[in-house]
Amino acid sequence: MRTSRFVVWADKKLHKAFGGRVSLVALAGLPSLRLTTTGRKSGLARATNLLYYPHGDGFVLTASNWGRQHDPAWALNLRANPKASVALAGRPVDVVARELSGEEYDRMWAELLAFWPGYAMEQKEAGRPLPVFVLERVTR
C-alpha cells in the first residue's frame, strides 16, 4: 500500500505505451481491466486500471482504494451513474454497475477474500467496509 502512488503511475505508463494491452496487475498474473466512468461533478470520462474478480459473464470490483479511509473516486462515480465501460486488453465492453449489500455482499466478500486475501489487510487499514460492485455486460 505504501507503493500505491508508484504502482498507479507505472500502470498508467504501461497502459499508454501498450495501448491498454499491458498492466502491472496483468503482469503479476491477475485479472486486470480499465474502468471508465463518468465524473460525477465534471461529466468527463475518468479511467483507472483495476484488479477485478471474474464472476460469470461479469466483473466484480472492490473499492479498497489501497487501504485509504475513503472510497475511490471511481466508486463515487459509479454510484452517481452506474453506466460505464471496461476495457479488457484494450477491447471496450459496456457495463452497468450495481453495488452489493446485505447477504449478497457477505457471500461475495467471502469469495473475494479467497481470490485476493490482501483485501482483508486493506479493509483493516481503511477502517471501513470496502464497497463491492458487480459490473454486468450491456447486451444490445
Side-chain angles (χ1 to χ4, degrees):
M1 289 182 292
R2 292 183 181 138
T3 63
S4 65
R5 289 189 194 279
F6 170 76
V7 171
V8 170
W9 174 85
D11 213 32
K12 285 180 183 178
K13 297 292 185 187
L14 282 171
H15 182 271
K16 187 174 183 177
F18 292 96
R21 295 180 311 276
V22 177
S23 75
L24 286 178
V25 172
L27 289 174
L30 296 166
S32 165
L33 58 75
R34 184 164 181 89
L35 174 68
T36 301
T37 61
T38 301
R40 67 196 179 286
K41 295 178 184 177
S42 69
L44 300 175
R46 303 293 185 197
T48 188
N49 296 341
L50 299 168
L51 167 68
Y52 78 93
Y53 174 54
H55 192 261
D57 195 34
F59 316 92
V60 179
L61 301 178
T62 305
S64 65
N65 205 15
W66 296 88
R68 293 186 182 101
Q69 294 179 347
H70 55 86
D71 293 343
W74 64 260
L76 303 175
N77 292 342
L78 285 179
R79 287 181 185 131
N81 181 357
K83 293 180 182 177
S85 68
V86 298
L88 301 166
R91 295 197 166 129
V93 176
D94 290 332
V95 294
V96 175
R98 180 173 56 85
E99 188 170 1
L100 302 185
S101 62
E103 291 180 16
E104 189 177 25
Y105 176 93
D106 294 341
R107 283 192 303 274
M108 184 59 71
W109 183 247
E111 285 186 47
L112 287 166
L113 289 179
F115 167 72
W116 184 250
Y119 285 138
M121 179 182 64
E122 291 181 66
Q123 183 178 42
K124 182 179 179 184
E125 184 76 20
R128 61 181 172 88
L130 301 181
V132 174
F133 293 83
V134 172
L135 281 60
E136 297 167 344
R137 295 172 189 254
V138 174
T139 56
R140 296 180 185 197

